Structure formats: structure tokens, C-alpha cells
Amino acid sequence: MSEPVVRDDFSRAEAVGGLVWLSVGAAVSVLLEVVYLNATVFGVPFPASVVIAALFNSVLTRTARLWTANPAVALIPLAVWLACLFVLMFTVPAAGAMLAPANVLTVALLLAGVAGGVWPLAQRK
């Protein structure tokens, strides 16, 4: 079997562009995760977005690590995810609409998202 080839001949602009698109993906994902947080299947609560947040943020961080060796820069998509979550939790309700429910599911979403985003960096040797 052949070894995987890791590409490292990209420009700084290409790396910044990659991180920007990962951050856009993080913002869209947190919006969808919050919207579907109170989802039910046949009347039974089914908070799949908590698990999806952990898995997707893990993918975002792993992908960001392909663009940079700096762990702080690799956490930019997670920082965008957190910022958007806090906007949905605090700023939007001040305007009169409440997207993020004020219950334990929102806390679980927050913890799962952060754990998923940090986990790939904790695994690295």
C-alpha cells in the first residue's frame, strides 16, 4: 500500500480562504443545530444536533489543521461556532425572537460542540 500524500504547497491566501470557508460552515452548522435542537421523532425528543455538533466541529478542526500547524489558528472555526451560538442565545432573544431554548439541551449543545472542536487537538502528539 502507498502512503497518503499530504499537500503542503499552498499559498497563505489559499489557507486563509480555506479557513474562511470552514468558518462559514461553522456558522451555518450552529444555526441548523440550534433550529433542530428541540426536534422530536414520533413525539419523543430526539436531540441529534448535540451529537452532530460534536462530530462536525471535530471535522472542522481536523480540516483546519490541514491548512495550519498553529493550534490557535486551527480553532478559528470553533471560535466562529461559539460566537454564533452566543449571538443566538443572547442577542437574538433581546430582539424578541428566541431560537436557542433556555434548557439543558442548549448547555449540552455548547459542551458537545466545544468538546468536538478541541478533541482533535488533544489527540495530536
Side-chain angles (χ1 to χ4, degrees):
M1 271 194 174
S2 64
E3 293 289 321
V5 178
V6 177
R7 184 174 164 254
D8 62 355
D9 60 339
F10 48 84
S11 68
R12 181 174 171 89
E14 190 176 359
V16 168
L19 290 171
V20 166
W21 280 110
L22 289 174
S23 298
V24 169
V28 171
S29 76
V30 75
L31 177 64
L32 292 172
E33 290 158 1
V34 166
V35 166
Y36 288 104
L37 192 57
N38 283 328
T40 60
V41 175
F42 302 114
V44 177
F46 189 70
S49 55
V50 172
V51 175
I52 291 169
L55 295 175
F56 192 68
N57 282 349
S58 176
V59 168
L60 290 174
T61 302
R62 287 176 195 263
T63 306
R65 288 291 290 191
L66 296 174
W67 295 102
T68 181
N70 186 348
V73 174
L75 288 174
I76 289 174
L78 178 62
V80 169
W81 187 89
L82 280 170
C84 291
L85 179 63
F86 288 137
V87 164
L88 293 173
M89 287 171 50
F90 300 116
T91 306
V92 175
M98 185 159 186
L99 289 178
N103 60 22
V104 72
L105 289 177
T106 304
V107 175
L109 180 69
L110 172 67
L111 294 176
V114 170
V118 172
W119 181 252
L121 297 178
Q123 282 184 308
R124 303 218 38 117
K125 294 178 172 108

